[in-house]
């Protein structure tokens, strides 16, 4: 068998592959197009930063696994891999310690201005009276994102004597208490902590999470970013540090890498920048290389791949029967997540009807995709949820009143809950048929606009007029009400998105309580 390695890794990883008897081809200069040219007879692919697109999988009839020597897999088209039956795996633990130690090191350097003092000294300037160091002891650090890296960072800051506060919308209060951390909403965290340390994964939900308004709201002294670029608005952070409103920042990752000479961070004295060194320690490089190589060996030997992200564990004969329910599950979960006001403490997945007898691991996995944990978590959703303090239950029953099959996702904070249900029309047409107790009929394409409004004459006409004035076409509409003159829920399938100005115009009508736009094209 043949393994292609597209990025430099430790020799220990290469040795594992060669010891297993594989032909190992290393090409550290190759880009995506180059991979496509070489992939036809490749059985295993070991990468770090190389982008692996759908075109790669389409050109790879023998490919069984893509193994990334690191944690992030945003450079791999995971749905495409799943479509082609290719396992995607990562090395989630091998470099977490290295990234956590860099985070702490940046915090110390930013607070003590060590790089600035060093630079001025080697330039012949004795700046002892100009540089005032800050002590971390007694400060409060606010951590955004409490995944593996966030937990490692929180543990280290706690042991250094700092108070720890966290923001993670998918973290339960009990889990935060176990870590001796205070769980806060983002606005409150920004207004109370001294150090903001961003460890969130980059997803559609976290992209731009710390924007100009959040930077303005931050009342602390220091910002540390070591997870992924694109989460913090870089020009806004640069301006805040340059003006002195924020004392300093330490940054290891950027929205585009490498950053250009005109990047806003490059000219700000009190922003310490490093070239994405989070995983670059000798120990980490060996760990991730060996883990990634071992996973290729396991996959090619037909054994369990421990850190597989997308293993489609369903028999080929059963897959056509459950395939479209994957889309139903993902959309129902996305709608529930967007509409629920509380912090999710519990997730219940219910299957009713004939589908209850099927192998549904792949469908259950899709419920977790909108949360940004992984793209197709098949082997570990319950474990991930448990680590975040969320109770997950799955129930099945053969009886269902109105539909042959019904899939329901219920999210709850322990007191309030919200349920979204879906089914297939004619066995193949996915629909959302219930939202928070309202019977609806929503197709799963384009953009879904959800409007909560009073059940009064003219409301639907007003919404249609406003959308029409902005050249937004309504493809279909479904309206449901709780009672005459009560509250109604209207679901519009739109061909085009709407911007904040359209939302604001809709909400100017007192009869419209709330509107939510959900993009199903992402």
């Amino acid at each position: 068998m043949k393994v292609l390695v597209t990025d430099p890794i430790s020799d220990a990883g290469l040795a594992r592959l060669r010891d297993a008897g594989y032909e190992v081809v290393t090409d550290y200069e190759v880009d995506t197009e180059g991979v496509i040219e070489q992939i036809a007879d490749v059985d295993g692919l070991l990468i770090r930063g190389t982008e692996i697109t759908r075109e790669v999988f389409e050109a790879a009839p023998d490919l069984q696994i893509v193994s990334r020597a690191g944690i992030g897999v945003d450079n791999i088209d995971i749905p495409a891999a799943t479509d082609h039956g290719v396992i995607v795996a990562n090395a989630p633990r091998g470099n977490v310690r290295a990234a956590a130690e860099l985070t702490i090191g940046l915090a110390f350097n930013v607070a003590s201005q060590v790089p600035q003092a060093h630079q001025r000294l080697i330039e012949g300037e004795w700046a002892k009276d100009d540089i005032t160091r800050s002590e971390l002891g007694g400060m409060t650090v606010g951590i955004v994102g409490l995944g593996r890296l966030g937990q490692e960072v929180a543990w280290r800051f706690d042991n250094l004597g700092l108070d720890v506060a966290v923001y993670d919308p998918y973290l339960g209060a009990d889990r935060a208490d176990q870590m001796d951390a205070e769980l806060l909403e983002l606005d409150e965290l920004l207004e109370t902590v001294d150090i903001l340390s961003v460890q969130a994964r980059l997803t559609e939900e976290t992209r731009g999470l710390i924007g100009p308004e959040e930077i303005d709201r931050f009342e602390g002294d220091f910002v540390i970013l070591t997870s992924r670029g694109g989460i913090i608005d870089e020009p806004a952070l640069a301006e805040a540090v340059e003006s002195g409103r924020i004392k300093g920042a330490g940054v290891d990752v950027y929205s585009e890498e490498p950053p250009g000479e005109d990047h806003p961070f490059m000219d700000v004295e009190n922003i310490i920048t490093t070239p994405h060194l989070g995983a670059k320690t000798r120990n980490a490089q060996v760990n991730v290389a060996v883990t990634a190589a071992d996973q290729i060996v396991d996959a090619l030997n037909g054994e369990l791949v421990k850190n597989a992200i997308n293993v489609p564990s369903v028999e080929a004969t059963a897959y056509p029967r459950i395939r479209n329910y994957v889309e139903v599950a993902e959309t129902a979960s996305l709608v529930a997540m967007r509409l629920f006001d509380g912090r999710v403490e519990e997730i219940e997945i219910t299957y009713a009807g004939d589908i209850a007898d099927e192998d549904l691991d792949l469908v259950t996995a899709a419920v977790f995709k909108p949360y940004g944990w992984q793209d197709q978590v098949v082997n570990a959703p319950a474990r991930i949820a448990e680590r975040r303090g969320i109770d997950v239950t799955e129930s099945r029953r053969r009886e269902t009143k109105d539909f042959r099959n019904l899939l329901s996702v219920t999210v709850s904070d322990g007191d309030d809950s919200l349920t979204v249900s879906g089914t297939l029309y004619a066995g193949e047409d996915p629909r959302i048929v219930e939202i928070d107790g309202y019977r609806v009929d929503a197709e799963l394409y384009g953009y879904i606009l959800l409007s909560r409004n009073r059940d009064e004459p003219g409301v639907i006409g007003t919404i249609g007029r406003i959308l029409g004035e902005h050249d937004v076409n309504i493809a279909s509409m479904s309206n449901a009400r709780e009672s005459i003159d009560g509250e109604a829920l209207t679901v519009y399938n739109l061909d085009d998105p709407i911007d904040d100005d359209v939302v604001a115009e809709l909400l100017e009508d007192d009869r419209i309580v709330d509107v939510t736009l959900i993009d199903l094209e992402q």
Side-chain angles (χ1 to χ4, degrees):
M1 290 187 175
K2 182 176 179 180
V3 177
L4 174 63
V5 183
T6 66
D7 298 277
I9 65 167
S10 167
D11 289 341
L14 298 176
R16 289 288 180 98
L17 297 171
R18 293 187 176 112
D19 289 346
Y22 305 139
E23 176 189 355
V24 178
V25 177
T26 60
D27 187 345
Y28 299 154
E29 302 297 327
V30 72
D31 58 8
T32 302
E33 290 300 320
V35 172
I36 293 173
E37 293 174 2
Q38 300 184 51
I39 201 69
D41 61 345
V42 169
D43 302 279
L45 184 59
L46 197 158
I47 69 168
R48 288 187 64 86
T50 306
E51 185 176 4
I52 305 303
T53 64
R54 180 172 291 272
E55 289 74 20
V56 172
F57 296 109
E58 291 173 347
D62 297 335
L63 189 63
Q64 297 184 45
I65 181 171
V66 177
S67 187
R68 187 187 185 281
I71 186 170
V73 290
D74 49 308
N75 56 322
I76 305 171
D77 189 332
I78 297 176
T82 303
D83 290 345
H84 288 80
V86 178
I87 298 170
V88 176
N90 64 353
R93 299 185 183 277
N95 56 18
V96 169
R97 178 182 296 177
E101 290 186 1
L102 177 66
T103 303
I104 302 300
L106 281 173
F108 275 116
N109 276 279
V110 169
S112 292
Q113 298 190 51
V114 171
Q116 296 93 322
H118 166 76
Q119 185 63 35
R120 293 173 72 172
L121 185 59
I122 64 173
E123 292 175 353
E125 183 180 358
W126 184 257
K128 181 177 181 180
D129 295 331
D130 295 337
I131 293 177
T132 302
R133 298 170 54 236
S134 298
E135 298 180 12
L136 297 184
M139 287 188 177
T140 298
V141 60
I143 297 175
V144 176
L146 212 66
R148 287 188 177 92
L149 176 56
Q151 291 181 41
E152 288 284 336
V153 170
W155 178 79
R156 283 166 171 76
F157 274 125
D158 183 58
N159 280 276
L160 288 169
L162 282 75
D163 293 325
V164 178
V166 299
Y167 166 73
D168 189 324
Y170 311 120
L171 182 76
D174 290 343
R175 178 56 177 155
D177 289 341
Q178 292 172 9
M179 299 191 65
D180 196 26
E182 184 179 9
L183 187 62
L184 300 176
E185 295 299 328
L186 181 59
D187 287 352
E188 186 178 3
L189 182 126
L190 293 169
E191 293 168 357
T192 56
V193 303
D194 304 293
I195 304 170
L196 181 66
S197 187
V198 180
Q199 267 72 61
R201 292 179 61 244
L202 179 63
T203 67
E204 289 306 314
E205 293 296 319
T206 62
R207 188 181 300 277
L209 179 67
I210 312 296
E213 292 184 3
E214 287 73 24
I215 294 292
D216 288 342
R217 189 171 289 118
F218 177 54
E219 297 184 3
D221 294 328
F222 306 112
V223 174
I224 309 297
L225 175 61
T226 56
S227 54
R228 278 292 188 267
I231 299 173
I232 286 183
D233 186 283
E234 293 167 338
L237 178 59
E239 190 280 327
V241 176
E242 190 167 30
S243 69
R245 195 179 63 75
I246 295 176
K247 292 182 180 178
V251 181
D252 186 50
V253 291
Y254 311 87
S255 57
E256 292 187 7
E257 297 185 355
E261 295 180 359
D262 59 346
H263 191 282
F265 290 165
M266 298 301 118
D267 294 325
V268 182
E269 180 181 1
N270 288 329
I271 295 182
I272 298 172
T273 56
T274 51
H276 203 150
L277 296 177
K280 300 289 286 186
T281 67
R282 285 186 294 272
N283 309 56
Q285 295 304 295
V286 171
N287 291 340
V288 298
V290 170
T291 298
D294 283 345
Q295 291 177 155
I296 289 179
V297 174
D298 289 340
L300 299 187
N301 286 339
E303 300 176 1
L304 174 68
V305 179
K306 298 180 180 62
N307 295 305
I309 289 172
N310 71 326
V311 179
S313 58
V314 60
E315 294 292 331
T317 56
Y319 184 68
R321 297 195 298 272
I322 62 96
R323 176 180 54 205
N324 289 336
Y325 281 100
V326 171
E327 185 179 4
V328 174
E330 180 182 340
T331 304
S333 180
L334 175 62
V335 172
M337 181 184 74
R338 290 289 305 276
L339 291 183
F340 189 60
D341 290 332
R343 181 181 297 278
V344 176
E345 304 275 3
E346 302 169 6
I347 299 175
E348 181 179 5
I349 307 158
T350 304
Y351 299 104
D354 296 340
I355 193 176
D357 294 331
E358 299 286 357
D359 180 353
L360 297 169
D361 283 348
L362 192 62
V363 181
T364 297
V367 172
F368 298 90
K369 184 176 179 180
Y371 288 78
W373 296 344
Q374 292 177 355
D375 256 296
Q376 288 282 6
V377 185
V378 173
N379 61 337
R383 176 166 54 83
I384 293 174
E386 179 181 2
R387 189 170 66 243
R388 293 173 174 269
I390 298 176
D391 293 328
V392 176
T393 58
E394 179 182 318
S395 60
R396 306 185 184 207
R397 63 175 188 270
R398 291 300 306 273
E399 308 80 25
T400 178
K401 290 195 303 183
D402 300 319
F403 301 93
R404 182 175 179 179
N405 292 296
L406 193 69
L407 181 158
S408 300
V409 177
T410 301
V411 295
S412 170
D413 60 5
D415 296 316
D416 299 320
S417 64
L418 185 146
T419 300
V420 179
S421 302
T423 190
L424 298 181
Y425 285 2
E428 61 181 19
D429 185 8
R431 301 291 182 99
I432 296 298
V433 295
E434 180 185 349
I435 299 175
D436 200 19
Y438 293 93
R439 288 289 299 271
V440 299
D441 182 9
E443 299 179 60
L444 274 56
Y445 77 91
Y447 303 86
I448 291 180
L449 178 67
L450 301 168
S451 169
R452 291 184 183 270
N453 48 266
R454 292 202 295 271
D455 182 35
E456 295 180 13
V459 177
I460 292 176
T462 296
I463 293 174
R465 175 183 58 79
I466 293 173
L467 293 176
E469 290 174 351
H470 290 273
D471 293 324
V472 176
N473 188 54
I474 299 174
S476 63
M477 184 198 77
S478 174
N479 182 62
R481 63 185 183 184
E482 58 185 12
S483 63
I484 298 175
D485 296 326
E487 186 173 288
L489 177 73
T490 310
V491 182
Y492 301 86
N493 280 106
L494 307 179
D495 290 334
D496 308 289
I498 61 174
D499 58 26
D500 292 342
D501 291 338
V502 179
V503 171
E505 187 173 347
L506 290 169
L507 293 175
E508 286 176 1
D509 191 315
D510 293 339
R511 299 169 299 178
I512 301 174
V513 179
D514 190 34
V515 293
T516 302
L517 181 71
I518 299 176
D519 182 3
L520 300 184
E521 300 298 317
Q522 293 181 347

